[in-house]
Amino acid sequence: MSDLVAQLDALLPQTQCRRCGFDGCLPYAEALAAGTTTLNRCPPGGLATIAALAEALDQPLLPPDAALWPETAALTADQALTPTVAVIDEARCIGCFKCVLVCPVDAIIGAPKFLHTVIADDCSGCDLCLPPCPVDCIDMVPRASIQTPADAMAERWRTLRRARKARLSRERESRDEARRLRRGELLSTQAQGYDIAAAIARARSRKSLNTQ
């Protein structure tokens, strides 16, 4: 990671919400550093983040991208999205596990066919759990003002995001290794079967020759 990318990433709120059009804050920072996107695409960060990015990139200020700032969302005076946290209505939860699969910071715990719950202190308020929920049992509520300051939460969400990506990578490697082992066992079994079939064919051939 270049120094500029790290600097830009540090200025982003780390909600990992993808509202900017990128798969998290770091990819957005990388695109900013490469000059392939604009600095006004972070609704959770509001005007303060736009100003900080403009200063870091030595670029002029831009107004918030109207296409990305939801008109129905609650905004602060700084045009930032009001911090929220997800809450699951356990009476309506069917344990489909879909919210767990999309949470970018692993703030939702539960197993398939069991009730799920949100670790409020870890939830970044990204809203990504809302669309896949088939029973609409998740609500976003304002984050308590007494909770951890935003800068400390940003670092925690960054850490949680990295941990999730590392976990998913390990799980993919484990699945790939399991598939390789299964394929190896299958090929071995097939090879043994071919050997047996060939041996039987040779024996029959020899028996046929001997009886002639």
Side-chain angles (χ1 to χ4, degrees), residues 19-194:
R19 288 185 176 89
C20 60
F22 296 87
D23 187 28
C25 296
L26 180 58
Y28 180 38
E30 292 171 338
L32 285 169
T36 57
T37 191
T38 57
L39 52 79
N40 60 342
R41 301 177 64 84
C42 181
L47 298 178
T49 294
I50 293 176
L53 293 174
E55 181 178 357
L57 293 167
D58 193 22
Q59 294 181 7
L61 285 172
L62 294 175
D65 188 327
L68 301 177
W69 257 254
E71 295 181 1
T72 57
L75 300 176
T76 67
D78 195 36
Q79 293 299 297
L81 294 180
T82 300
T84 58
V85 61
V87 175
I88 295 177
D89 182 348
E90 296 183 357
R92 293 154 57 199
C93 176
I94 60 174
C96 70
F97 204 66
K98 293 181 178 180
C99 58
V100 177
L101 296 176
V102 299
C103 179
V105 293
D106 278 346
I108 304 177
I109 56 175
K113 299 183 180 179
F114 288 88
L115 297 180
H116 306 325
T117 190
V118 177
I119 305 173
D121 288 342
D122 291 345
C123 178
S124 67
C126 67
D127 292 7
L128 292 177
C129 57
L130 298 182
C133 179
V135 293
D136 294 329
C137 70
I138 306 175
D139 294 311
M140 305 304 298
V141 301
R143 175 176 288 276
S145 59
I146 60 173
Q147 289 180 308
T148 307
D151 55 348
M153 285 309 303
E155 182 56 36
R156 177 156 182 76
W157 291 330
R158 183 186 292 109
T159 299
L160 291 171
R161 173 64 168 168
R162 290 172 178 169
R164 173 181 168 81
K165 293 183 70 173
R167 176 180 63 79
L168 293 177
S169 178
R170 290 193 302 270
E171 290 177 353
R172 281 194 298 270
E173 292 175 359
S174 179
R175 289 194 297 269
D176 290 344
E177 179 62 19
R179 281 194 290 267
R180 285 193 294 269
L181 290 174
R182 288 195 296 270
R183 179 171 175 76
E185 292 172 356
L186 176 60
L187 292 175
S188 177
T189 300
Q190 290 175 339
Q192 292 174 7
Y194 293 145

